[in-house]
Amino acid sequence: MNRILRPLVLTCLVLLLAACAGGGGQRSPRDQMLYHYVSAVRWSDFDAAYGFLDPAWLAANPMTDAERERYRQFQVSGYEVKSAREPAEGEYEQVVEVRVVNRHTQVEKLITDRQRWRYDAQAKRWWLASGLPDLDAAR
């Protein structure tokens, strides 16, 4: 009996230790914001992604109904962060490759999105200060 029980207990102990070690810490507020933004974009929910835009950027660049319809014309098929950096405290930049498929023509194109994020200490949140991906900036 001891020969059977010992390997089983050891296996359970190893699995338990692996689960505890892989748990990691809690995400930072910036990483949480990026996670939710990526989720919105990957699901092609540009209306939700619009909610991440910096109010100062929106005031200078209001989105028209025609621009909203243009975003609805595309389905995101890929989103990959190529590089990221923190140029200063409260700032974050990343270069992302976004693959989109035109729902009407079924043509896929690759967009390089250079994102700038800034932390708003008063609102206690991160804002996308560079706008949504430019659908006409295919490479």
Side-chain angles (χ1 to χ4, degrees):
M1 175 95 164
N2 197 13
R3 248 186 277 184
I4 296 172
L5 190 57
R6 182 175 283 171
L8 182 61
V9 169
L10 283 174
T11 302
C12 288
L13 184 59
V14 168
L15 290 174
L16 179 63
L17 288 173
C20 289
Q26 193 173 4
R27 287 188 187 137
S28 71
R30 182 192 71 209
D31 290 344
Q32 288 178 353
M33 187 68 65
L34 290 170
Y35 176 82
H36 292 299
Y37 174 76
V38 170
S39 295
V41 171
R42 286 190 67 102
W43 283 101
S44 305
D45 188 352
F46 289 104
D47 288 331
Y50 186 79
F52 291 86
L53 295 176
D54 187 339
W57 188 90
L58 282 173
N61 305 283
M63 187 179 285
T64 66
D65 290 338
E67 289 170 321
R68 280 186 193 269
E69 282 305 312
R70 178 120 169 91
Y71 279 102
R72 288 188 183 109
Q73 183 178 332
F74 289 90
Q75 175 71 39
V76 174
S77 59
Y79 186 101
E80 184 177 352
V81 177
K82 292 299 189 176
S83 67
R85 69 186 197 107
E86 235 177 292
E89 189 173 332
E91 295 179 14
Y92 185 74
E93 296 176 348
Q94 61 183 14
V95 176
V96 179
E97 283 186 355
V98 183
R99 292 184 177 279
V100 294
V101 176
N102 185 309
R103 295 177 196 262
H104 303 296
T105 64
Q106 293 301 299
V107 173
E108 182 182 58
K109 63 181 178 176
L110 179 65
I111 297 168
T112 300
D113 185 25
R114 288 170 171 54
Q115 299 174 1
R116 284 185 335 275
W117 293 81
R118 74 165 185 89
Y119 184 70
D120 182 347
Q122 189 173 9
K124 293 185 171 133
R125 68 163 288 166
W126 285 85
W127 294 107
L128 178 58
S130 55
L132 295 176
D134 183 358
L135 297 175
D136 296 319
R139 54 167 205 160

